[in-house]
Amino acid sequence: MVLGHESSGQVVEIGNAVTRVKVGDRVAIEPGVPNRYSDETKEGRYNLCPHMDFAATPPIDGTLVKYYLSPEDFLVKLPDGVSYEEGACVEPLSVGVHANKLAGVHFGNRVVVLGAGLVGLLTGAVARAFGASDVVFFDVFDNRLDRAKDFGATHTFNASKLSAQELADEVKELLGGQNADIVFECSGADACIDAGLKVTKAGGTMVQIGMGKNYTSFSIAEVSGKEMKLIGCFRYSFGDYRDAVKLVASGKVNVKAMITHRFKFEDAGKAYDFNIAHVGEVVKTIITGPA
């Protein structure tokens, strides 16, 4: 099966009825196409469509090819000044956009991001772009935390030796005695889920982005006692790709800062092997081409 779902490219051919794009347009490719008639799609939540065809999800082939066929309404034009590399980064950025919309992030919010991997970094960056006054990143890798400073971090902390309660206490100190209005859990780790619930203020919101085990244990009393919102997050939906492109074009989110490695198209296999062998070092690897 062909891999790849974070891609951009140039339109080289169109069907007779296509009106939204033309040959020569530079575009970001949204990789998931729902059934146009499902209830979820009609409700405006097409990311939840059970009949979704998503690139590189069996049995659907991915985008790591010279020519890829896409519906016109799942292409977003790249403005002048936005590179193909930046266009390929729109896919994970859209996850961050969707998560922030779900949480309702607005000016002055105190935000905590658990996990400073690719999606965590971008989610924090979007929170700052949406107006959050504090964005605290926690991770166990110092190199990721150093990079978080380019993605809107106001505070960073290595959580490798902290219990969930100690992490919550640290957040409270960093935020001047306050818990977080909004928490984005981006690791999927049990300990981070537990910590996220403790870090969230009464009446606050935690968005679960990270994918860990199918089943986990956490304190439901924490959720009920605080009357907090615990929201699931799955990919992105209507308008998120478009808004992600706008954030890049406006300079409000610098996705180039997350690109750590590059490989040529013919070396794609080596790129995947490299990522597996250097999991703590890699943030985003770009495969360029083909010519």
Side-chain angles (χ1 to χ4, degrees):
M1 192 189 75
V2 178
L3 297 178
H5 67 274
E6 303 177 11
S7 300
S8 63
Q10 185 179 52
V11 177
V12 294
E13 186 176 337
I14 60 174
N16 293 333
V18 170
T19 60
R20 298 189 182 200
V21 294
K22 64 182 184 302
V23 172
D25 282 347
R26 301 163 57 257
V27 295
I29 305 168
E30 185 170 346
V33 180
N35 182 299
R36 307 308 179 106
Y37 304 103
S38 72
D39 288 345
E40 293 81 5
T41 298
K42 290 180 178 180
E43 290 169 356
R45 305 170 73 190
Y46 64 75
N47 57 314
L48 304 181
C49 175
H51 311 292
M52 174 77 73
D53 286 343
F54 198 88
T57 300
I60 308 301
D61 281 325
T63 58
L64 193 59
V65 290
K66 185 170 184 177
Y67 299 109
Y68 184 77
L69 184 63
S70 172
E72 61 176 320
D73 54 333
F74 282 79
L75 300 177
V76 179
K77 293 181 184 179
L78 297 177
D80 292 341
V82 177
S83 68
Y84 285 124
E85 288 191 351
E86 291 170 304
C89 295
V90 167
E91 197 278 340
L93 178 58
S94 295
V95 176
V97 170
H98 188 62
N100 275 269
K101 288 181 181 179
L102 287 173
V105 174
H106 57 75
F107 181 79
N109 278 153
R110 299 181 298 269
V111 171
V112 167
V113 180
L114 295 165
L118 175 64
V119 171
L121 291 172
L122 293 173
T123 300
V126 175
R128 283 288 277 174
F130 278 18
S133 58
D134 297 277
V135 179
V136 183
F137 282 90
F138 283 83
D139 203 281
V140 297
F141 294 108
D142 284 332
N143 63 316
R144 289 183 175 181
L145 293 172
D146 289 340
R147 194 171 295 275
K149 296 167 186 175
D150 296 324
F151 290 87
T154 56
H155 309 84
T156 61
F157 205 88
N158 191 310
S160 57
K161 297 180 181 180
L162 297 180
S163 68
Q165 187 56 56
E166 288 171 335
L167 191 149
D169 293 340
E170 188 63 40
V171 166
K172 209 164 187 177
E173 183 176 338
L174 290 172
L175 296 180
Q178 303 291 323
N179 280 335
D181 299 303
I182 294 165
V183 172
F184 294 108
E185 202 299 299
C186 300
S187 73
D190 288 359
C192 286
I193 295 171
D194 186 30
L197 295 173
K198 288 181 168 58
V199 163
T200 307
K201 76 172 188 179
T205 299
M206 175 169 153
V207 181
Q208 184 60 40
I209 304 173
M211 297 290 286
K213 298 183 298 186
N214 284 343
Y215 296 94
T216 186
S217 297
F218 61 85
S219 173
I220 195 67
E222 198 85 47
V223 178
S224 299
K226 290 180 177 179
E227 206 171 274
M228 60 175 284
K229 296 177 182 177
L230 178 57
I231 302 176
C233 179
F234 189 60
R235 295 177 181 154
Y236 30 78
S237 196
F238 177 72
D240 296 331
Y241 239 76
R242 175 198 62 205
D243 291 343
V245 169
K246 288 180 179 178
L247 285 172
V248 174
S250 66
K252 292 183 178 179
V253 176
N254 178 19
V255 293
K256 291 183 289 187
M258 73 184 186
I259 299 171
T260 52
H261 301 84
R262 293 175 175 84
F263 286 82
K264 295 180 180 179
F265 182 79
E266 55 266 29
D267 294 327
K270 295 179 182 178
Y272 284 97
D273 291 339
F274 182 89
N275 281 11
I276 292 170
H278 300 83
V279 65
E281 175 188 344
V282 170
V283 179
K284 174 65 176 173
T285 296
I286 289 287
I287 298 173
T288 60

